[in-house]
Amino acid sequence: MKSSELFETAKTLIPGGVSSPVRAIKPYPFYTKRAEGSKIYTEDGDSLIDCCMGYGPLLLGHAHPFVKSAIKDQLDNGWLFGTPAEAEIKLAKIVTGDHPSMDMCRFVSSGSEATMAAIRLARGYSGKKDIIKVEGGFHGAHDGVLIQAGSGATTMGVPDSAGVIPEIVSHTAQVPYNDIESLENLLAKNNNVAAFIIEPVMGNIGPILPEDGYLKEVRKITEENDVLLICDEVICGYRLGIGGAQVKYDIKPDITTLGKIVGGGLPIGVFGGRREIMEMVAPAGPVYQAGTFSGNPLTLASGIAMLNYIHDNSRLYERLDGYTKIIHESLPEKYRDSFVRLGSIFKLFFREKPPKNYVQAKESNTEKYADFWKKMLQSGVFLPPSQFETNFVSAAHTEEDIEYISGAYNKCL
Ligand SMILES: Cc1ncc(COP(=O)(O)O)c(C=O)c1O
Ligand SMILES: NCC(=O)CCC(=O)O
């Protein structure tokens, strides 16, 4: 069946016809039949070079043979035990080994679950009630962080969701990204702050990079004010390199959240940190956290394969950085200044300069982006449909793909 027909039926069964709002492309989304390497093959018979990559997890591309083989091997041994399995120790060893700030970690099934648990843990550990987040930061779709939230919430115009009780978000304060003074001022007025949660490199209002020294200042100020620092590295983790943003920018958060790449493409979330904090988590301590599918064997197998592959082929990060450099340098000159890239992440903003924060990101011309996005799709390149989502390249992209993507940017701009 064609995508348009599938969507007509989907709308009668699933709200908005989609399982996540970011997929709601107008007039209808294309339906994917199969995906392999850098390509998506649609129900309409099209083949597309994918720069969305499952919104980030697919660092090695779709259906990577090494990860696939690990998943297949696990399938033969069962895919849900409801008991501990050795694989979770193996994955925990890799993840904690790669992040000097993490002595221990716990596996959950999504990034949302990870940040929800991390915030509860920060409150349980500190005995304080409030949290601070960054305007436009997206930490998943749970109540305490759905305030000026990025990603689909901003794209759809619902950054403050209906159904979230005001009393809950009254405990969530906000500061602009790249603005130390606002953070200092807020902390000077409030000594009931349990944690500051931040995407070290903003990824859900398009990529926005930290200004020089910003993250180190954030670490210093939070420490001085006895506020836990939660680095939400759901996108950055293993995307910016092994150890994510915290290793790249040399900061040591108290708690880290991970997801996406760590599961090799299967559902995962991770939260971890210093031993004394993590030992507050049930059953070791009084902060309750649980999940039927947490640490499920299929995800563990896929995650271990993914991370082992990355360790054995860590030069892939240089190759991917080279890819986004090629795309950047091949742009028509007038667009080069508003193109942001860091390693394998990139985005062209439809404004004069790269934004520094949420207010500036929202000044981008989203109508122009939508028009450009459509032309790119017609040219055979699938970018995330929103100005406010990050584009990704993967290790499965070939030099020919990158040449093609660069050509398409030039043609469509
Ligand atoms: C920084 C960040 N945190 C948390 C999440 C939530 O992760 P998930 O979609 O796996 O629940 C996302 C992405 O969706 C994210 O980008
Ligand atoms: N950057 C936002 C996401 O990755 C979330 C995807 C989704 O909500 O489907």
Side-chain angles (χ1 to χ4, degrees):
M1 225 189 272
K2 295 267 186 222
S3 294
S4 56
E5 293 162 336
L6 289 167
F7 190 56
E8 283 310 308
T9 310
K11 277 191 292 187
T12 68
L13 297 166
I14 304 168
V18 287
S19 295
S20 185
V22 301
R23 301 176 202 169
I25 296 167
K26 285 188 178 129
Y28 58 86
F30 66 80
Y31 277 66
T32 298
K33 191 171 193 165
R34 194 172 77 76
E36 193 177 345
S38 61
K39 304 252 172 49
I40 276 181
Y41 301 91
T42 76
E43 295 283 356
D44 308 310
D46 295 322
S47 104
L48 302 168
I49 299 178
D50 187 9
C51 291
C52 181
M53 284 291 145
Y55 286 88
L58 301 169
L59 182 72
L60 305 182
H62 292 278
H64 190 277
F66 190 75
V67 179
K68 186 170 20 177
S69 146
I71 294 173
K72 277 188 170 164
D73 288 349
Q74 184 58 49
L75 277 175
D76 289 339
N77 291 315
W79 49 88
L80 186 63
F81 300 152
T83 73
E86 189 183 357
E88 65 199 334
I89 304 171
K90 283 192 184 152
L91 190 58
K93 264 191 191 156
I94 304 174
V95 170
T96 56
D98 289 338
H99 296 84
S101 69
M102 278 197 217
D103 298 323
M104 303 178 95
C105 66
R106 161 82 43 104
F107 298 114
V108 292
S109 299
S110 69
S112 297
E113 255 188 275
T115 60
M116 190 170 70
I119 289 169
R120 185 182 304 140
L121 174 59
R123 287 179 166 141
Y125 175 80
S126 66
K128 299 184 205 167
K129 281 191 181 165
D130 295 345
I131 60 161
I132 302 175
K133 73 177 273 293
V134 174
E135 292 167 2
F138 181 71
H139 305 288
H142 56 91
D143 289 8
V145 289
L146 276 182
I147 162 166
Q148 290 195 40
S151 184
T154 286
T155 311
M156 311 287 151
V158 285
D160 307 305
S161 171
V164 173
I165 297 167
E167 289 87 321
I168 292 182
V169 285
S170 70
H171 290 285
T172 306
Q174 307 239 46
V175 290
Y177 188 61
N178 276 326
D179 184 341
I180 282 297
E181 207 178 319
S182 294
L183 180 62
E184 271 178 325
N185 290 343
L186 201 55
L187 290 175
K189 284 188 287 195
N190 186 345
N191 59 10
N192 201 20
V193 179
F196 178 42
I197 182 163
I198 182 171
E199 296 175 67
V201 173
M202 299 286 279
N204 286 284
I205 44 177
I208 302 187
L209 309 186
E211 289 180 337
D212 279 354
Y214 173 66
L215 293 172
K216 277 201 184 285
E217 270 303 295
V218 162
R219 175 62 287 190
K220 186 166 155 266
I221 291 164
T222 45
E223 206 160 357
E224 283 167 3
N225 285 274
D226 204 16
V227 166
L228 295 175
L229 177 62
I230 304 175
C231 275
D232 181 359
E233 300 227 37
V234 167
I235 290 182
C236 300
Y238 294 95
R239 171 61 63 182
L240 304 186
I242 292 171
Q246 55 192 267
V247 164
K248 182 173 179 56
Y249 294 100
D250 189 24
I251 51 163
K252 220 170 171 186
D254 300 291
I255 302 175
T256 297
T257 53
L258 297 165
K260 298 205 189 257
I261 290 175
V262 182
L266 293 187
I268 197 164
V270 186
F271 64 102
R274 286 207 309 279
R275 188 172 308 281
E276 53 161 344
I277 300 176
M278 289 306 289
E279 283 188 338
M280 294 289 288
V281 178
V287 176
Y288 199 68
Q289 190 284 320
T292 303
F293 299 108
S294 294
N296 82 81
L298 263 196
T299 295
L300 294 170
S302 153
I304 291 167
M306 180 78 156
L307 301 192
N308 279 340
Y309 188 92
I310 292 174
H311 273 272
D312 290 345
N313 297 274
S314 58
R315 295 202 49 189
L316 69 88
Y317 290 108
E318 282 163 48
R319 178 159 63 90
L320 301 190
D321 180 58
Y323 281 174
T324 58
K325 188 162 183 263
I326 291 172
I327 298 171
H328 188 190
E329 287 174 355
S330 71
L331 286 181
E333 200 168 338
K334 72 170 186 170
Y335 290 102
R336 278 183 218 154
D337 278 354
S338 51
F339 186 88
V340 177
R341 70 174 198 95
L342 185 65
S344 60
I345 68 178
F346 66 106
K347 193 83 184 181
L348 177 66
F349 283 93
F350 283 86
R351 69 190 299 280
E352 273 177 13
K353 287 215 161 79
K356 290 182 177 178
N357 56 35
Y358 188 44
V359 170
Q360 292 186 2
K362 282 201 303 180
E363 287 165 2
S364 306
N365 188 331
T366 50
E367 274 173 28
K368 265 196 179 166
Y369 181 83
D371 191 37
F372 165 72
W373 177 84
K374 208 177 192 177
K375 288 186 176 137
M376 287 294 280
L377 190 68
Q378 283 160 357
S379 305
V381 179
F382 174 47
L383 305 175
S386 167
Q387 170 74 92
F388 304 114
E389 299 285 356
T390 294
N391 304 349
F392 302 99
V393 282
S394 77
H397 285 84
T398 60
E399 281 175 22
E400 291 73 43
D401 288 334
I402 300 305
E403 218 171 279
Y404 189 90
I405 294 166
S406 301
Y409 263 84
N410 272 272
K411 191 175 78 180
C412 299
L413 285 169

